[in-house]
Amino acid sequence: MELVSLQQVREAAGRMAGVAVRTPVLPCPWAEGEFWVKPENLQPMGAFKIRGAVNAMALLGGAASTAGVVTHSSGNHGQALAYAARVMGTPCAVVVPEGAAPVKVEAMRGLGARVITVPPERREEVAREVAEEEGASLVPPFDHPDVIAGQGTVGLEIVSDLSTVDVVLVPVGGGGLASGVATAVTALCPDARVIGVEPELAASAAESLERGRPVSWPPERTRRTIADGVRMGLSELTFAHLRERLDSVVTVTEEEVRAAMGVLARRAHLVAEPSGALATAAYLSGRVPRGRTVAVVSGGNTDPLLLAEVIAADTARRH
């Protein structure tokens, strides 16, 4: 299987101009050791997913302009594709699993997407059916080289801003972000370690790498985690990237994810959704190697009530 190259990631970076934000690497003097965060929650629609969506849409060109694009998503990729489609004047449909976060579903509709709600186990199947019936282009959330290359621009920017980075922590769900970041970072900083982070309650990537093949966890198992953005398992394509380029995968507890959300809000002044707080949770847990570390805050589309709850909990811990 052919893996995405550094050159593809660099070419994707050129397609981001004017749509995706080049986010900074922010120092965190409040943390022990040398720690930075990469705040992808600052993207126009609140998550890194805009990068892969923009790159894929740009490479589709005129093929997507009339019939439109379709995808399946629990939220952030659907918002990203809807945003990119609106910028490019293209119709967009998103197949959403039942139980998806209402704040994300409403954001998709607000960006002009047609939302189709289905049982979680049918999301991919229905997205393919809609694409075939309507002649639309399917832009999957992670299982595509153009999407992976787009997400890899996160890694390019990390290395550009902190060329002596030792450890990069990145959330893992379907594996598109981790695949892209690992592609860029390992090519440019061979001595750096790229470590994936999953919640214990949706740790299919860790099991997949341990078993040497992609392993799927059923929706009734993964829906236990608060981190709704990482409930999908790896594809054959993302598994191949992570097996080749990722150093390891660590897991964090639900309590650690909540605590990290509170810390990011109070100390870094960043709104992180549960999936977006995974990498920071891993650092704060002390279960990852120390060194000059960057944690990717992958998204900030969280429920306001949950945000208030974790901030209150963090405040109580400090008093």
Side-chain angles (χ1 to χ4, degrees), residues 85-290:
R86 188 173 71 173
V87 169
M88 299 177 187
T90 300
C92 176
V94 184
V95 178
V96 173
E98 293 170 350
V103 66
K104 296 182 179 182
V105 175
E106 287 309 308
M108 283 185 261
R109 289 197 174 102
L111 289 165
R114 174 165 54 101
V115 174
I116 303 164
T117 304
V118 300
E121 65 275 10
R122 295 201 63 223
R123 53 186 277 180
E124 292 182 70
E125 174 192 353
V126 172
R128 287 193 298 269
E129 290 173 356
V130 171
E132 186 174 342
E133 290 168 5
E134 301 182 3
S137 298
L138 181 64
V139 182
F142 53 86
D143 190 25
H144 196 287
D146 297 340
V147 173
I148 291 172
Q151 320 303 28
T153 58
V154 171
L156 278 186
E157 293 172 10
I158 289 172
V159 174
S160 175
D161 289 350
L162 193 67
S163 60
T164 56
V165 64
D166 296 312
V167 180
V168 176
L169 303 174
V170 57
V172 180
L177 176 62
S179 295
V181 169
T183 294
V185 173
T186 56
L188 295 169
C189 294
D191 293 332
R193 303 175 72 174
V194 182
I195 298 174
V197 186
E198 290 183 299
E200 287 182 353
L201 298 182
S204 61
E207 183 178 346
S208 297
L209 293 171
E210 182 180 341
R211 291 177 177 265
R213 58 178 175 81
V215 174
S216 294
W217 285 22
E220 58 269 21
R221 188 176 182 189
T222 59
R223 70 166 59 105
R224 298 174 301 161
T225 180
I226 193 174
D228 60 290
V230 295
R231 289 172 179 162
M232 287 290 290
L234 304 179
S235 67
E236 292 284 351
L237 180 62
T238 55
F239 172 76
H241 282 79
L242 299 192
R243 179 176 56 185
E244 182 71 23
R245 296 171 177 169
L246 200 69
D247 186 80
S248 61
V249 175
V250 299
T251 60
V252 292
T253 67
E254 299 296 291
E255 293 73 21
E256 287 168 339
V257 174
R258 287 174 174 268
M261 289 177 68
V263 168
L264 285 167
R266 280 179 50 86
R267 305 302 300 275
H269 315 292
L270 294 173
V271 173
E273 63 189 87
S275 305
L278 286 172
T280 300
Y283 185 83
L284 296 176
S285 76
R287 290 194 293 276
V288 294
R290 283 301 192 242

